[in-house]
Amino acid sequence: MPKFLRIGVHQSNVSGYTSKAWCVRRVGSAVFLKWGAVEVLGAGDGRKVYWTVPPREKTIRCGTAQRANDYVKSSIARRRNHRYEPLAGPIALRRRSTERSTDLKPALATILIVDIVRSTEKAAKLGDARWTKVMGHYYAAVRKELKTSRGKEVVTTGDGVLATFKAPAAGVRCATAIREAVRTLGLEIRVGLHAGEYKVSGAEVVGLAFHIGARVAAKARAGEVLVSSAVKDLMSQSQICFRDHGVHQLKGVPERWRLYRVED
């Protein structure tokens, strides 16, 4: 059964989107669809995906096996065009404990969010096989720089990465290193960094700080690394140079934020 995953910034929706999965299966002339909100815990090979509530299901009667096969191909194409990634592992249904929130522990870190610019356009131009190969090299390059900078990968988002750092300077240096590394693959990225508190429960992380980081990244142009004032204020003794990028209203985020561009 082909499965596709779209990962939100975290499990709570603040004018953004929650993580969502789609499953498509054909049996003869019938197509079975299943979709709904999911939780994504961990990253990489250890990532686990759970339905947050029982998924919605639908059966499409296509009349002939050929029409059903065409419907499946069309459905898969739509998923790929909406920032979904193929999901190989199972999706389990897990009951959420009413006392889950009591396990959440606060943590403070610099949050980095990387996003490939015009990824859908590039994927369509290269085709599935070549794009998959490019993405393999892309993630290898990103993870190499994260390891060098002692960053912690939290989750991948189809064509992006969310990671955390204990030191803001390490996050900024990692962002510029990733930008240069992926340019050798013909890719341009935009990067946003924000420093704030989030909560941790096992492998799960939640908090408004992740949404702020995502909104900062969305303000960046191709090749730009933008940071929030929270990051800049923590780096008053750093040799890294910043240029004022103005005050911005970040979609779905309270208050206005002053942003800064990292200068080469």
Side-chain angles (χ1 to χ4, degrees):
M1 175 186 289
K3 295 186 288 291
F4 302 90
L5 178 67
R6 183 187 69 177
I7 301 178
V9 175
H10 64 70
Q11 286 71 32
S12 299
N13 186 15
V14 182
S15 188
Y17 57 82
T18 55
S19 300
K20 184 177 181 180
W22 268 86
C23 304
V24 185
R25 179 167 63 97
R26 180 180 71 85
V27 178
S29 62
V31 177
F32 301 93
L33 306 176
K34 184 185 293 185
W35 71 95
V38 293
E39 282 186 294
V40 182
L41 306 185
D45 294 337
R47 183 174 68 181
K48 295 183 179 179
V49 182
Y50 299 92
W51 297 112
T52 57
V53 295
R56 297 176 63 184
E57 298 183 13
K58 186 176 182 180
T59 301
I60 307 295
R61 305 292 180 182
C62 298
T64 68
Q66 182 59 51
R67 289 180 181 176
N69 192 51
D70 291 342
Y71 186 97
V72 169
K73 289 182 178 179
S74 176
S75 180
I76 290 173
R78 287 197 297 273
R79 302 287 80 73
R80 289 173 176 164
N81 288 335
H82 287 79
R83 300 173 67 87
Y84 281 79
E85 61 175 295
L87 177 63
I91 305 175
L93 180 60
R94 187 182 67 171
R95 296 186 180 278
R96 298 170 67 91
S97 170
T98 56
E99 298 185 5
R100 175 173 164 270
S101 61
T102 63
D103 297 329
L104 295 177
K105 299 178 182 180
L108 180 66
T110 297
I111 297 160
L112 172 146
I113 293 180
V114 179
D115 185 41
I116 297 177
V117 177
R118 294 189 295 275
S119 60
T120 301
E121 176 185 325
K122 291 180 181 295
K125 182 178 180 180
L126 293 177
D128 289 346
R130 290 180 61 193
W131 181 245
T132 298
K133 188 173 182 179
V134 169
M135 290 300 291
H137 292 309
Y138 163 74
Y139 280 117
V142 170
R143 286 166 179 149
K144 179 182 177 182
E145 299 303 336
L146 286 176
K147 183 177 181 179
T148 299
S149 303
R150 296 185 178 181
K152 180 181 179 182
E153 180 181 332
V154 177
V155 72
T156 59
T157 59
D159 58 10
V161 175
L162 188 156
T164 59
F165 296 82
K166 291 183 178 180
V172 172
R173 292 192 181 97
C174 184
T176 57
I178 290 172
R179 179 184 61 189
E180 300 309 313
V182 302
R183 278 177 174 166
T184 64
L185 301 173
L187 301 175
E188 284 287 354
I189 60 171
R190 58 172 66 89
V191 185
L193 294 104
H194 175 64
E197 186 178 89
Y198 60 95
K199 295 184 183 296
V200 181
S201 178
E204 181 180 2
V205 290
V206 296
L208 180 60
F210 287 104
H211 277 293
I212 296 175
R215 299 312 185 198
V216 172
K219 293 290 183 180
R221 296 191 293 266
E224 281 190 332
V225 177
L226 295 184
V227 307
S228 69
S229 56
V231 174
K232 171 77 162 47
D233 292 345
L234 291 171
M235 298 180 62
S236 58
Q237 304 301 317
S238 172
Q239 299 301 310
I240 297 173
C241 297
F242 299 92
R243 176 174 293 184
D244 194 332
H245 198 64
V247 177
H248 299 261
Q249 180 67 58
L250 305 180
K251 183 179 178 181
V253 176
E255 304 177 354
R256 292 167 64 83
W257 287 81
R258 184 172 292 279
L259 305 182
Y260 297 85
R261 184 173 65 238
V262 177
E263 295 288 275
D264 295 327

